[in-house]
């Protein structure tokens, strides 16, 4: 996805399901965003999941995940062995899904992130699993027009949080942030010492990491790189137990973050804003109990998505326009009573929205309000 990167996957406690095949409904107008219809999915092996969606054009919408994971039960509940499934990357082009080869990753892998920097310039990352219980290795690849070619990561990388846009490609490893310069990685800065939840790289001198002080100390913290040093800036926790899920930086003095608090009953959505002085909570419109992703459209409109508490069969969609956040009506997923949206993309040029997530019966589901 073009903005932000989260360091962990947000997973819903819902089962996944296959979508019925069929054509898409007529596209929604620009003034009627949120009229989602299901996109028929290709065949996936059972135990499949989708984690990310991104778009560079109406003919270059990408989804990523895995399929065919096997779990062998152990003699005691909660024990057993998991056999990794195969990676999933598909492109929506000419009203159908297209699959491409992934160099050196035909099996035993998961694609957790897809970034469409351009219609034919797409980056993917995720873990590549070995055999015999060995630790996974980070995998990164770039689309060349006919297949994804593996890209070597900086030396010693044990993880890869990659962000690719038309104006640059960066990767955050466990130790440092690097920028892609030609065919090499140039080190920008070391990673701050903290428990990371979400991050965003707007430029080499405007980098954010949000999370907690440590795994033991769950005090919220925000670190900002200004090109010279890391600064720890004030964070005013809006809800006890806040956990960040996503963020986007628009300028050095304007950034937004989403999150969830599970310490309230029911869970609470979290929306926070950086104004150049401190991160403070903004009360989101009512009816949601989670916010999972925030993105920016080509016209500057901000969109956030999450889970609806009052209408659980409908994705919880918010729009920021004119200085205020508003709830956007959405359509329900047919034949499902609960949908948990975890990814969101805006199609450049058309403004169409694509989202994906899990539903209460089967899954995953992919939805769009465009053609």
């Amino acid at each position: 996805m073009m903005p932000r990167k989260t360091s962990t996957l947000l997973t819903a406690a819902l089962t996944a399901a296959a979508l019925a095949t069929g054509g898409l409904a007529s596209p929604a107008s620009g003034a009627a965003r949120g009229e989602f219809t299901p996109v028929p999915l290709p065949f996936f092996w059972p135990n499949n999941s989708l984690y990310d969606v991104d778009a560079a054009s109406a003919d270059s919408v990408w989804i990523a995940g895995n399929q065919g994971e096997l779990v062998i039960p152990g003699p005691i509940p909660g024990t057993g062995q998991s056999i990794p499934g195969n990676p999933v990357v598909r492109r929506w082009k000419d009203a159908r899904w297209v699959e491409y080869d992934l160099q050196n990753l035909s099996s035993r892998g998961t694609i957790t992130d897809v970034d469409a920097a351009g219609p034919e310039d797409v980056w993917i990352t995720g873990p590549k699993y070995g055999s015999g219980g060995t630790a996974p290795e980070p995998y990164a690849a770039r689309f060349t027009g006919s297949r994804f070619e593996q890209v070597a990561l900086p030396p010693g990388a044990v993880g890869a949080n990659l962000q690719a846009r038309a104006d640059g490609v960066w990767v955050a490893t466990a130790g440092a942030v690097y920028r892609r310069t030609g065919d090499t990685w140039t080190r920008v800065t070391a990673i701050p010492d903290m428990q990371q939840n979400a991050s965003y790289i707007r430029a080499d001198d405007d980098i954010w990491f949000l999370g907690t002080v440590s795994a033991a100390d769950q005090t919220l913290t925000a670190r900002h790189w200004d090109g010279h040093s890391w600064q720890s800036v004030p964070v005013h926790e809006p809800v006890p137990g806040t956990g960040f899920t996503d963020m986007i930086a628009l300028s050095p003095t304007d950034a937004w973050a989403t999150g969830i608090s599970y310490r309230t009953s029911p869970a609470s959505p979290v929306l926070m804003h950086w104004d150049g002085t401190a991160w403070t909570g903004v009360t989101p419109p009512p009816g949601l109990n989670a916010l999972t992703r925030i993105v920016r459209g080509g016209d500057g409109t901000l969109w956030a998505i999450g889970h609806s508490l009052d209408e659980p069969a409908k994705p919880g969609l918010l729009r920021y326009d004119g200085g205020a956040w508003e709830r956007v009506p959405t359509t329900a997923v047919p034949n499902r009573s609960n949908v948990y949206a975890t990814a969101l993309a805006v199609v450049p040029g058309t403004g169409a929205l694509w989202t994906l997530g899990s539903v209460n019966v089967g899954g995953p589901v992919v939805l769009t309000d465009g053609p």
Side-chain angles (χ1 to χ4, degrees), residues 57 66 141 173 217 233 246 339-340 342:
S57 70
N66 65 5
T173 68
D217 184 349
V233 303
D246 197 11
V339 57
Y340 201 110
T342 55

Side-chain angles (χ1 to χ4, degrees), residues 205-220:
D205 58 357
D206 191 7
I207 303 174
W208 282 98
F209 281 88
L210 305 181
T212 59
V213 173
S214 66
D217 184 349
Q218 292 297 293
T219 303
L220 291 186

Side-chain angles (χ1 to χ4, degrees), residues 148-323:
F148 282 89
E149 295 188 356
Q150 185 173 6
V151 174
L153 291 165
V158 295
N161 187 358
L162 190 140
Q163 182 177 309
R165 300 191 306 269
D167 60 345
V169 178
W170 294 266
V171 65
T173 68
V177 175
Y178 297 84
R179 182 187 178 111
R180 189 75 172 172
T181 304
D183 292 330
T184 62
W185 295 105
T186 301
R187 189 177 185 274
V188 177
T189 178
I191 293 290
D193 183 16
M194 59 181 288
Q195 185 78 11
Q196 302 165 20
N197 292 146
S199 64
Y200 189 85
I201 304 172
R202 194 185 69 86
D204 288 354
D205 58 357
D206 191 7
I207 303 174
W208 282 98
F209 281 88
L210 305 181
T212 59
V213 173
S214 66
D217 184 349
Q218 292 297 293
T219 303
L220 291 186
T221 186
R223 307 290 178 86
H224 181 247
W225 172 258
D226 61 6
H228 303 284
S229 63
W230 285 101
Q231 304 294 324
S232 181
V233 303
V235 182
H236 303 311
E237 187 170 19
V239 183
T242 292
F244 294 109
T245 57
D246 197 11
M247 75 158 293
I248 185 171
L250 309 177
S251 76
T253 58
D254 187 11
W256 291 88
T258 57
I260 308 170
S261 172
Y262 290 108
R263 292 190 189 174
T264 61
S265 183
S268 302
V270 173
L271 189 60
M272 298 189 71
H273 182 240
W274 164 255
D275 62 1
T277 302
W279 283 93
T280 55
V282 176
T283 302
L288 306 185
N289 65 344
L291 285 172
T292 57
R293 197 64 67 92
I294 184 169
V295 299
R296 186 186 191 190
D299 62 354
T301 301
L302 293 177
W303 300 89
I305 203 160
H307 182 256
S308 298
L309 185 64
D310 54 359
E311 297 179 300
K314 301 179 180 181
L317 183 64
L318 304 181
R319 174 176 54 207
Y320 184 77
D321 194 12

